[in-house]
Amino acid sequence: AYVSYRYLGGASVFATQDGALFGSKGIELGTNYTLWNNVVLSAKYFKGKTLEKQPDDKVQKLFGRVEFLF
């Protein structure tokens, strides 16, 4: 499990969008869990604000993934 602060401005190079979005800043929580041999569950939750000043600048995102490794 992890907790991280994300700040993804316009100069971010190859930032992934599975957790935090481009042009946002905030806190990301995530975890990985090995369900069975070669099966990994991943979950991420991001909550923050956009970098641009807007009336409704709050953003949040939930991301989940199942990986099968061979």
Side-chain angles (χ1 to χ4, degrees):
Y2 67 91
V3 176
S4 62
Y5 176 76
R6 303 286 186 197
Y7 187 101
L8 298 176
S12 299
V13 179
F14 300 117
T16 62
Q17 292 210 54
D18 53 1
L21 303 170
F22 289 119
S24 65
K25 63 180 179 178
I27 300 294
E28 182 177 289
L29 306 169
T31 187
N32 291 332
Y33 181 74
T34 304
L35 190 60
W36 296 293
N37 192 20
N38 296 333
V39 178
V40 179
L41 302 175
S42 301
K44 294 181 182 183
Y45 175 71
F46 174 77
K47 185 170 185 174
K49 294 183 177 183
T50 61
L51 297 177
E52 299 174 1
K53 300 292 182 187
Q54 298 175 0
D56 185 22
D57 62 348
K58 295 180 178 142
V59 292
Q60 59 183 351
K61 185 173 183 183
L62 179 64
F63 174 81
R65 172 176 31 213
V66 178
E67 295 179 74
F68 299 95
L69 309 168
F70 296 98

